[in-house]
Amino acid sequence: MVGFGLLITGPARNVWPLTVEDNVSEGFERIRTGPLTTLSHLGSEAGNTLTVVAITLLSCVALLLVPRLPMWRQAVFLAVAVSLQSLVFLAVTESVDRTRPDVHRLDASPPTSSCTSGHTGAATALYAGLAVLVLSRVRRPWRWPLAGLLFCAGS
């Protein structure tokens, strides 16, 4: 991640598609509407730090208390995935100086750089981890749609 971040902020910064990245952010800013802003807000809330921490804790507690036999490995898997993502985020943020796009923000942005997004990484670790657990532990026909929904929430 650090190598990729240094590449896109250094030698590759003038290479397409990186040269049009800001145009994408500005394009999304131009097409904002009330309903799209509401959907964006809901997606952002699903990935904000407090939500990710709360869902991770609740999921780990449920894995330990709800089944007849506690699922220690699954709880540790989920907790470690989200925790390691935080370490990756900190390492990349400290190593790569990449500013956020110059667009009007819909919510408050943390004072960190934009490469890599800690919220996106945390949401991906949590929801993809939950999807892996659903696929490995659930044997019902609805496991595939639920895993797909979780993967989409994490991206």
Side-chain angles (χ1 to χ4, degrees):
M1 289 295 296
V2 170
F4 185 67
L6 293 172
L7 177 69
I8 66 174
T9 58
R13 75 175 159 262
N14 295 320
V15 177
W16 186 90
L18 299 175
T19 55
V20 297
E21 181 183 24
D22 285 345
N23 296 344
V24 173
S25 298
E26 292 163 2
F28 278 121
E29 182 183 37
R30 281 192 300 275
I31 64 168
R32 285 183 182 156
T33 64
L36 288 176
T37 297
T38 301
L39 286 173
S40 176
H41 178 71
L42 291 173
S44 292
E45 287 301 310
N48 78 30
T49 303
L50 184 59
T51 303
V52 169
V53 169
I55 292 174
T56 301
L57 287 174
L58 289 173
S59 298
C60 289
V61 168
L63 286 166
L64 297 174
L65 299 179
V66 172
R68 275 180 280 180
L69 295 174
M71 296 185 181
W72 285 99
R73 284 186 291 172
Q74 292 81 357
V76 169
F77 162 75
L78 195 59
V80 168
V82 175
S83 299
L84 283 180
Q85 174 284 321
S86 299
L87 292 176
V88 170
F89 166 70
L90 289 173
V92 173
T93 299
E94 289 298 316
S95 303
V96 179
D97 183 29
R98 185 170 185 221
T99 59
R100 296 179 184 275
D102 188 24
V103 295
H104 174 72
R105 288 172 187 49
L106 296 174
D107 55 7
S109 298
T112 57
S113 63
S114 70
C115 178
T116 176
S117 168
H119 292 88
T120 302
T124 301
L126 170 62
Y127 296 116
L130 287 172
V132 167
L133 292 177
V134 164
L135 290 175
S136 67
R137 304 303 299 175
V138 176
R139 297 289 172 233
R140 306 263 188 244
W142 45 264
R143 77 181 180 147
W144 289 102
L146 178 58
L149 182 66
L150 288 165
F151 274 123
C152 287
S155 60

